[in-house]
């Protein structure tokens, strides 16, 4: 029988493989965070920092300040008292500092260029999609204009209606003139044949 603890019966795995089965993590619970020995940083913040440093390195202000520091360094280590000099004539420490600065500046500039390339790629993709939408809109408008032209070809225009009305007016005027001429000749014919007796009565 299974041992009981505080009035609750403890469940014991049954079967040959129950004892050696490893416990798998539950899928409805998040995994515990792994321990990392390396420091973590935000790639976006580091990228912004690299871009700001690269922008500063590519300005004339950096060149002026760097030239000022190097000249001051050389003048101090040449003209200062011997006990106050920290870098003698070969200026090995200055060379080391310049090499260290160059070794850090090159990766920062490359990282800034990579971020700029990524932005350019995204901008080009957006421009390509915008151009495709513009071409599709232009083709749609072209088809609509062609359909409107075809539809307007079957619609009575103002000039056509005006010409038809002018033809109808001319036709009505011609009919009225013909009717007046017919009315003008009819009384003459009645004068030739006076009323009273018919010509056959003679």
């Amino acid at each position: 029988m299974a041992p009981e603890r505080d009035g609750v019966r403890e469940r014991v795995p049954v079967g040959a493989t129950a004892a050696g089965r490893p416990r798998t993590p539950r899928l409805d619970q998040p995994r515990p965070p792994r321990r990392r020995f390396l420091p973590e940083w935000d790639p976006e913040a580091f990228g912004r920092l690299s871009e700001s440093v690269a922008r500063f390195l590519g300005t004339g202000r950096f060149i002026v300040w760097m030239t000022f520091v190097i000249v001051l360094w050389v003048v101090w280590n040449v003209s200062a008292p011997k006990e106050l000099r920290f870098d003698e004539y070969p200026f090995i420490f200055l060379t080391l500092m310049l090499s260290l600065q160059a070794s850090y500046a090159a990766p920062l500039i490359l990282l800034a260029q990579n971020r700029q390339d990524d932005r350019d790629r995204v901008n080009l993709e957006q421009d390509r999609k915008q151009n495709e939408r513009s071409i599709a809109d232009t083709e749609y408008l072209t088809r609509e204009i062609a359909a409107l032209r075809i539809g307007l070809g079957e619609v009575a225009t103002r000039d056509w209606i005006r010409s038809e009305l002018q033809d109808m007016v001319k036709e009505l005027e011609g009919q009225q003139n013909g009717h007046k001429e017919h009315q003008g000749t009819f009384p003459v014919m009645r004068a030739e044949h006076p009323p009273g007796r018919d010509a056959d009565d003679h």
Side-chain angles (χ1 to χ4, degrees):
M1 291 184 63
E4 294 185 1
R5 182 180 298 170
D6 296 336
V8 180
R9 190 172 183 179
E10 188 177 356
R11 304 180 73 179
V12 178
V14 180
T17 59
R21 183 183 302 168
R23 297 185 62 183
T24 58
R26 296 179 58 177
L27 297 178
D28 59 343
Q29 295 180 355
R31 290 183 177 180
R34 296 180 179 178
R35 294 181 179 177
R36 294 184 179 181
F37 298 101
L38 296 177
E40 297 183 3
W41 63 86
D42 186 11
E44 191 67 24
F46 191 75
R48 288 195 297 268
L49 177 63
S50 65
E51 285 182 347
S52 62
V53 171
R55 287 194 188 96
F56 177 70
L57 292 177
T59 57
R61 183 183 300 175
F62 170 74
I63 296 175
V64 170
W65 279 105
M66 186 173 175
T67 304
F68 177 74
V69 169
I70 291 174
V71 169
L72 183 62
W73 186 300
V74 172
V75 168
W76 177 265
N77 287 291
V78 168
S79 61
K82 196 169 186 66
E83 60 273 5
L84 296 178
R85 298 176 188 175
F86 56 89
D87 192 12
E88 292 296 333
Y89 165 68
F91 306 120
I92 298 174
F93 188 49
L94 177 62
T95 306
L96 178 62
M97 293 299 295
L98 293 177
S99 301
L100 184 64
Q101 180 245 330
S103 64
Y104 272 97
L108 290 174
I109 293 173
L110 290 176
L111 181 58
Q113 288 179 353
N114 291 335
R115 285 173 58 85
Q116 185 64 38
D117 292 339
D118 294 338
R119 279 198 297 270
D120 293 341
R121 192 179 302 109
V122 172
N123 291 333
L124 288 175
E125 185 68 20
Q126 291 178 354
D127 292 341
R128 185 183 64 81
K129 291 181 179 179
Q130 183 66 31
N131 291 334
E132 289 179 355
R133 286 194 295 268
S134 300
I135 291 172
D137 293 341
T138 305
E139 291 178 353
Y140 173 75
L141 291 175
T142 304
R143 289 193 297 268
E144 290 295 321
I145 292 172
L148 287 174
R149 285 181 177 177
I150 293 172
L152 287 175
E154 301 175 356
V155 175
T157 60
R158 184 185 302 173
D159 296 335
W160 183 81
I161 293 174
R162 185 181 293 115
S163 63
E164 290 294 323
L165 289 175
Q166 289 176 357
D167 294 339
M168 290 178 65
V169 168
K170 289 179 181 178
E171 185 177 354
L172 289 174
E173 288 178 354
Q175 288 179 0
Q176 288 180 357
N177 292 333
H179 186 61
K180 287 180 180 180
E181 291 176 0
H182 183 66
Q183 286 181 351
T185 56
F186 187 70
V188 176
M189 292 175 63
R190 293 183 64 183
E192 292 178 357
H193 301 283
R197 290 195 305 177
D198 203 359
D200 296 334
D201 294 340
H202 292 290

